[in-house]
Amino acid sequence: MTKEGPARYPYAFNTQASFGGQLSGDVTFLSGIKQNYLSLTHMDRIRDMHEKGKPIVIVRGWITSEPYYAAGCISVGPPFPRGWMLQQLTGQDFRQANIRGMALLEEARQNLTIESCNLVAYLALLKKNKLPVSAVAPCLCTGCSDMAYATVACRTGPIRVPTFFMDYPVNHGYGEWRINYLKTEIRELTEKLGGISGKTVTDEMLEAEIKCENQARRIVRECQKIWWNAKVPPTNSIDNSFVHLGSMGAFDYTVAIQVLQEYLREIQGRVQKGITGTGISSDPARLFICGSCVHPNPAFIDKKGGVIVGKDDQWSVMTMDVKESGDPYENLARAISSHPYERPTEERAEWTVEQVRDSRADGVIFMYNWGCNYQSAVAGMITDIIKERTGLPAICIELGELTRMESLEQSQNRVEAFIEMLR
């Protein structure tokens, strides 16, 4: 973090206001530094696991990770091709890395469509580039309008990547049929994943993974409750991003759980001592963020007098417990069928209202990326319900900077104006 990191990835240590991926400036928060370390080294660790025989599988969303890990696979998101190719070149400064990233995005869109969300467009890089991806196996119909189309695109071109779908029935009125359907889908997906890893996944193996990920989810919930109830924010917005350790496990849940346990102890100590996160104003505007995949620049928000208290997409998975006894496939099916983020829009909004109240937010920002038909369609209704139920200000912001290193002035101006209104 002080020698090798700055030499290999100097862009990651950039501190200009427009850089959306800044590292936290809180050098006294050890578990925050470890989170930064896991972020910087994630490609190194994935490469190491892949060289030891673990297949890399591209997924979508945070519905469930258990089948992938139980089958001995590494589950990564759609931006993986970009990250893999970007980090093949070391020593890039911020400008060089930004230009390289935009070139990869342009290549991806030309191979898919310019109308696609930036995030899933990167799957098209698989069509002309040799990457260590063994399969594309997302859960479809969950929070994304483009993933199905992009996944099908992987079946064409010089490089064809095997695709396995887990279909998520969105009609909640199907009742037990829906549970049985999901149960079958999860079982078939797990068997296919085992086929590419060479493992036969037993019920005991899947149950062990469920217990492991349940532990991570429980720690995340405890951390979030302490953070929300603290008199002052115990960390800044960047260090309040620990939820992802419970949803994707930093590609290694043993490591993720250890860091989460340390995080829990540290924020407990900070709350007891009344310590405020580094870079936070004395009375910041508390912002709850809605929307898939995108969020406002956390360093910019802190600098302008705000703080991010929570984000609905990954957090919603943390509220999902999986029963640990009985048929593991049925238990997973029942858990993900109740996933609040994928409920009918009005029900999702009501759940969000509860999170906004619990987090003691002062305002809500719903962000969605240009090209995302799914989130743009529900943003207005959800923010209207939040305003009606809580009386808090809420704003929708469409942006086109997903996966870009820089935040654009248009989005920053709107976020800054919203914070000023709250204060």
Side-chain angles (χ1 to χ4, degrees), residues 150-168:
T151 305
V152 171
C154 294
R155 295 175 170 176
T156 62
I159 300 175
R160 299 192 178 191
V161 181
T163 55
F164 311 140
F165 301 152
M166 188 175 88
D167 184 35
Y168 185 86

